[in-house]
Structures are given as C-alpha cells and as structure tokens.
Amino acid sequence: MTVLDSILDGVREDLAVRQAEVPLADLRARAADAPPALDPLPAFRAPGVSIIAEVKRKSPSKGELADIPDPARLAARYAEGGAAAISVLTEKRRFGGSLADLAAVRAAVRVPVLRKDFIVTPYQVWETRAWGADLMLLMVASLDDGPLGELLGLATELGLTTLVEAHTPDELERAARLGAQLIGINARNLKTLEVDRSVFKALAPDIPPGAVRVAESGVAGPEDVAEYHAWGADVVLVGEALVRAGDPEDAVRTFISAAAARG
C-alpha cells in the first residue's frame, strides 16, 4: 500500500462519519446560502508570480510543522503580505486540519480560499462550497477519469475553481484532456513522499496554452519560488516555508519580490 492509499483510506473513514452527521440536503442548503465563490484566475494570470499561502499544521513527511492556534490571523497576515489566495488543509489525520479552519479563514480574508484535501466524492464538493471555499483541489493520482470528470463538472456547476494536480506525464495528459484551466504540478510524489522540484521544469512545457501553471511543494526559500517562476510557474503554492517563517507577512513579500528580481 502506498502512502496515498493509506491517506485515502483514512479520508474515507472520516468522511463516512461526517456524512452520517450532516445529510447532503443540509450541505446543499448551506451552499445555496453561501456568497458566490471568488474567481482567482484573473489574479493568477497577472504579470509576476502569485503566491498561494498555506495554513498547514503538519504533514506526513515532516510531522508537526507549526502550532497555529489562530488560522484566521495567520491567513490575514498572508493576505497582507500579498498572497493571491489562501490554502487551508482540512484533512485531519495526517495534516491536522479541519473544516472549522476553512470557515475561520474564509471569514478573515477577502482573497480566494482553497480547500486542500483528498476529494474523492461529490459530497466533499458540496461540503467545500457549503463551508465557503472558492477553490478546491483534485488529485489525478487519486481518481479514475470518470469520477475525476464528474467532480470537476460538479465543482464548475457550483462556481468553484478546481486546481487539478498532476505529478507524471500521464497524469498531466489526463488533466489536460478534461480541460482543466488551473493545473498544478506537485514536486512531491504522494505515493512515496519524495520531492523532486525538477518534475515541474520537465512537465510545465506540456501544460496546455491558456491554462494557469501552478508549482507545488519543495519550496524552502525565495530562491525556489524564483526558480519555479523562471521555469514557467504563474503561481507557487507554499506551505511549510511560510508556517515556519517568523514573519509570514514579510515572507510572502520576499517570495514575490525574489521572482520579480529574477525576471
């Protein structure tokens, strides 16, 4: 069993509990009452590099990363530093996140908010919109083409923007075939947790013209953001390096300026 398989098993177990507690009809009603989702693509397509700054307490590879007693305050500081969007981990077992974190961040910032989780069912898509997210993550590695297309279609119907994540040429081809407009290349292999930033450099040229290119994982400092941008990234998603930064607001600014300086 791969690391990803193990994570997905836990996700499905926790999902079953939530489904028993909150009927789909309740989620649909809550989603209908939610403000319209914000569109992140104009900011992501603007000149320079955009940063998606992540609220991330821990990870399967590194364990505990940071004590985050107030995710809303952290997100607000990211936004003040110029983050184009905020990512919130909502998976509980391996990442220490929750839907409560998502709701708190959504209430605290005016920029788009991404729900980062292992989404494998329509219930989770409704859940994402009901709790106020504007974007959600879909990982090609965790879904066959049929369910992947179904979830992408439902997200679009609900006004959500979907970050479709790939790690291999085959996964990228599948994302492109479905018409994904926001494509992430994850430098981390979620089956082994190994990180290789050159994966983005290798795959970025094959991202379809017009799609926004997102580099994920492997950022230790400003120079890594600058290099990803030089390799073609429109957006860089950063988690660990920001939650461990002493001044997250300044760290976001530094990442953006480093990419601008490199040109």
Side-chain angles (χ1 to χ4, degrees), residues 99-182:
L99 288 167
D101 286 350
L102 177 63
V105 169
R106 172 67 284 161
V109 300
R110 295 184 178 180
V111 297
V113 175
L114 164 68
R115 182 192 183 185
K116 189 116 173 279
D117 209 320
F118 299 79
I119 293 176
V120 292
T121 71
Y123 182 93
Q124 291 166 290
V125 180
W126 282 101
E127 199 175 47
T128 300
R129 186 78 275 271
W131 286 85
D134 309 288
L135 303 94
M136 71 176 201
L137 177 71
L138 285 179
M139 291 180 293
V140 176
S142 65
L143 294 159
D144 292 332
D145 280 356
L148 181 61
E150 178 188 4
L151 297 178
L152 184 59
L154 177 58
T156 301
E157 180 184 328
L158 297 183
L160 289 163
T161 300
T162 304
L163 172 58
V164 182
E165 177 184 293
H167 178 75
T168 67
D170 176 66
E171 290 174 6
L172 176 56
E173 193 277 332
R174 290 175 58 203
R177 192 167 65 241
L178 288 169
Q181 290 300 295
L182 183 64

Side-chain angles (χ1 to χ4, degrees), residues 203-237:
L203 295 183
D206 294 325
I207 294 175
V212 174
R213 298 159 293 188
V214 183
E216 304 174 54
S217 298
V219 173
E223 65 282 355
D224 295 327
V225 173
E227 189 163 54
Y228 270 142
H229 186 51
W231 289 342
D234 305 300
V235 183
V236 180
L237 191 153

Side-chain angles (χ1 to χ4, degrees), residues 3-256:
V3 175
L4 178 59
D5 291 333
S6 176
I7 292 173
L8 289 172
D9 283 348
V11 165
R12 290 188 176 97
E13 288 177 10
D14 293 339
L15 174 60
V17 174
R18 297 199 306 277
Q19 286 179 301
E21 293 175 345
V22 183
L24 178 58
D26 290 357
L27 287 182
R28 288 174 177 265
R30 181 168 179 162
D33 290 339
L38 302 175
D39 182 0
L41 294 183
F44 288 172
R45 288 190 167 114
V49 72
S50 294
I51 297 294
I52 301 177
E54 192 156 79
V55 176
K56 184 178 186 180
R57 291 189 170 89
K58 62 181 184 178
S59 75
S61 60
K62 299 289 185 67
E64 299 289 339
L65 297 176
D67 179 29
I68 305 175
D70 189 351
R73 178 56 187 151
L74 176 60
R77 295 198 66 190
Y78 286 157
E80 289 161 7
I86 310 297
S87 171
V88 183
L89 263 302
T90 59
E91 195 278 335
K92 179 175 67 174
R93 299 191 185 198
R94 301 296 187 98
F95 294 90
S98 68
L99 288 167
D101 286 350
L102 177 63
V105 169
R106 172 67 284 161
V109 300
R110 295 184 178 180
V111 297
V113 175
L114 164 68
R115 182 192 183 185
K116 189 116 173 279
D117 209 320
F118 299 79
I119 293 176
V120 292
T121 71
Y123 182 93
Q124 291 166 290
V125 180
W126 282 101
E127 199 175 47
T128 300
R129 186 78 275 271
W131 286 85
D134 309 288
L135 303 94
M136 71 176 201
L137 177 71
L138 285 179
M139 291 180 293
V140 176
S142 65
L143 294 159
D144 292 332
D145 280 356
L148 181 61
E150 178 188 4
L151 297 178
L152 184 59
L154 177 58
T156 301
E157 180 184 328
L158 297 183
L160 289 163
T161 300
T162 304
L163 172 58
V164 182
E165 177 184 293
H167 178 75
T168 67
D170 176 66
E171 290 174 6
L172 176 56
E173 193 277 332
R174 290 175 58 203
R177 192 167 65 241
L178 288 169
Q181 290 300 295
L182 183 64
I183 297 179
I185 303 299
N186 196 342
R188 187 183 305 280
N189 182 339
L190 288 175
K191 297 179 180 179
T192 64
L193 299 185
E194 295 176 352
V195 175
D196 179 0
R197 291 196 311 106
S198 69
V199 169
F200 179 85
K201 183 180 182 181
L203 295 183
D206 294 325
I207 294 175
V212 174
R213 298 159 293 188
V214 183
E216 304 174 54
S217 298
V219 173
E223 65 282 355
D224 295 327
V225 173
E227 189 163 54
Y228 270 142
H229 186 51
W231 289 342
D234 305 300
V235 183
V236 180
L237 191 153
V238 188
E240 179 183 343
L242 287 177
V243 297
R244 287 182 163 174
D247 185 339
E249 183 179 337
D250 182 67
V252 173
R253 287 198 183 101
T254 300
F255 288 166
I256 295 171

